[in-house]
Structures are given as structure tokens and as C-alpha cells.
Amino acid sequence: MDRDIPLKGLLSIILRSHRVFIGRELGHLNLTDAQVACLLRIHREPGIKQDELATFFHVDKGTIARTLRRLEESGFIEREQDPENRRRYILEVTRRGEEIIPLILKVEERWEDLLFRDFTEDERKLFRKMCRRLAEEAVRMRGEWR
């Protein structure tokens, strides 16, 4: 691989490869990479509000609404109007959604195992730690630009 690829390009290669892998492994479920991420987040935080999910993923409300609508139409989640604020929606994973969570987790684990197969456990941990720091800095910088 070309050593002069900028950081953005390297990250893009990794993310596109992940998207292809998820599509191949979970294609029979008709789930996109973004839908998988949302489903896992709702599974980990039942009752999360739709706007909180948009904030968590740093996407606009329209984008998250479209992603969630598709998950709801597929029967993987339920959106219920918040009784305290009718403009907000409370999100829950349905029984059908819960049934596929173990498969999704297994596929995600397999992706990471394949990606890091030539890394030591210490290198893997260090990479995650550095990525987390970079993500936090990117979010901080984005806040400064507003």
C-alpha cells in the first residue's frame, strides 16, 4: 500500500472495508452499517431518545430519523412518542431486533479479529486508545468551529 496516503484516506479505507464486510456478512438482514450501529447503541441504552442518538453519533436529526425509520419498518426497533415531550421519541429494540444482536456482535468481533490479526494485544489496545483520543479531539475541534 502507498505510504503517502493521508490519514483521512487511511481511515476511509478502513471504514469502507468495514461497510463492505458488514454488507457481506449481514446482507441477508438488509441492514446498513449505520443501522447496525444504531441498533447496537439502542440495545446498549434502552430508552435512549432519538435526539440523544443523533448527538451520540454526531449526525443531524434528519439523518438519524431516516435510519431509525428503516429499522422500525424492518421490525428491529420501536419508536414511542415521549409523553413528556411529544416532539421526542423513545427508542427500544424489539424482540426481533434482540434476536439478531448476538449475530451482529459476533460479526463485529470477527471484523476486529481479522483487522488486528497481525497485531499484538498491546498494539491493539494502544491503537484503540489512540483512536479514542483522536475522536475526542475531533469532536472538541468541531465544537470550536461552531
Side-chain angles (χ1 to χ4, degrees), residues 2-135:
D2 185 348
R3 294 192 178 275
D4 293 331
I5 299 173
L7 178 62
K8 178 185 181 285
L10 296 170
L11 295 173
S12 178
I13 290 167
I14 295 167
L15 292 174
R16 281 184 306 198
S17 297
H18 178 262
R19 193 173 298 123
V20 169
F21 182 82
I22 291 296
R24 190 183 73 221
E25 297 296 310
L26 300 176
H28 64 285
L29 297 173
N30 293 319
L31 288 173
T32 66
D33 186 29
Q35 290 167 336
V36 167
C38 286
L39 188 58
L40 288 176
R41 186 79 230 151
I42 298 165
H43 167 75
R44 289 183 180 124
E45 196 174 333
I48 189 171
K49 310 290 189 300
Q50 185 168 319
D51 56 332
E52 294 169 342
L53 197 63
T55 300
F56 178 83
F57 285 116
H58 303 280
V59 297
D60 63 75
K61 292 177 183 179
T63 299
I64 208 75
R66 284 187 297 278
T67 301
L68 294 174
R69 186 181 67 246
R70 290 184 193 114
L71 282 171
E72 187 176 31
E73 289 169 354
S74 298
F76 295 122
I77 68 161
E78 291 177 341
R79 289 191 298 173
E80 187 177 307
Q81 206 167 41
D82 185 342
E84 295 174 15
N85 182 344
R86 295 178 49 117
R87 293 180 297 169
R88 293 179 86 184
Y89 288 93
I90 300 168
L91 307 171
E92 299 283 343
V93 177
T94 62
R95 179 178 295 155
R96 181 170 190 234
E98 289 294 343
E99 289 171 357
I100 65 168
I101 293 293
L103 172 62
I104 291 171
L105 293 174
K106 187 175 181 178
V107 167
E108 289 288 358
E109 181 180 354
R110 200 158 110 237
W111 160 256
E112 281 198 26
D113 288 345
L114 288 169
L115 187 65
F116 286 105
R117 65 181 156 206
D118 293 330
F119 287 69
T120 67
E121 189 59 33
D122 286 343
E123 288 172 326
R124 189 174 178 160
K125 287 178 183 175
L126 179 60
F127 182 78
R128 282 182 145 289
K129 183 178 179 181
M130 292 171 73
C131 282
R132 183 167 283 111
R133 284 179 54 198
L134 287 171

